[in-house]
Amino acid sequence: QVQLVESGGGLVQAGGSLRLSCAASGRTSSNRAMGWFRQAPGKERQFVAAISWRGDLPDYAISVKGRFTISRDNAKNTVYLQMNSLKPEDTAVYYCAATAERFTTARARIYDYWGQGTQVTVSS
């Protein structure tokens, strides 16, 4: 089992920044690719960003590319999502996820473990 706990969400004005963290514990979390997804009210969960087990090969949704940066620190078993130039449409619950795959994937069904989510609200 892998346990994932997100933090760093909150309320921010449009144009502002937030950094989300995802602390992983349990079974060999450092050799897994990790991803961030989000779900807004009334919408399906969507891919935001992912990173390989080595911390390279990042992948981003088109809607966040150039504004968000995913990174990881395997020594701390933590994955980060730096979010800049936030927009009201970024408002959602953000989920961290882990997969047994080592390399980056945007497919939610490939991820085996999910955190409880952290709310991000961007006001206009």
Side-chain angles (χ1 to χ4, degrees):
Q1 291 288 333
V2 176
Q3 293 78 41
L4 304 172
V5 179
E6 302 97 334
S7 61
L11 173 64
V12 63
Q13 288 188 332
S17 299
L18 284 174
R19 189 176 81 155
L20 305 184
S21 298
C22 173
S25 61
R27 187 174 180 182
T28 330
S29 59
S30 62
N31 64 357
R32 298 173 181 268
M34 301 289 290
W36 286 96
F37 292 77
R38 67 187 182 187
Q39 188 167 18
K43 296 187 177 181
E44 294 186 352
R45 189 172 297 188
Q46 65 174 191
F47 169 73
V48 175
I51 193 166
S52 76
W53 70 284
R54 295 178 304 193
D56 59 1
L57 305 175
D59 189 22
Y60 298 95
I62 292 174
S63 59
V64 308
K65 191 171 290 186
R67 300 188 296 122
F68 291 12
T69 302
I70 188 171
S71 62
R72 67 189 295 165
D73 184 340
N74 284 344
K76 296 182 178 180
N77 291 323
T78 302
V79 177
Y80 304 97
L81 185 68
Q82 177 67 44
M83 305 186 295
N84 298 328
S85 302
L86 283 160
K87 304 175 182 180
E89 51 264 43
D90 294 319
T91 295
V93 177
Y94 283 70
Y95 297 92
C96 175
T99 172
E101 300 291 329
R102 291 196 170 196
F103 297 100
T104 308
T105 177
R107 294 180 293 169
R109 62 182 179 180
I110 301 299
Y111 289 83
D112 307 294
Y113 301 99
W114 294 82
Q116 82 289 349
T118 185
Q119 176 71 45
V120 172
T121 303
V122 184
S123 62
S124 57

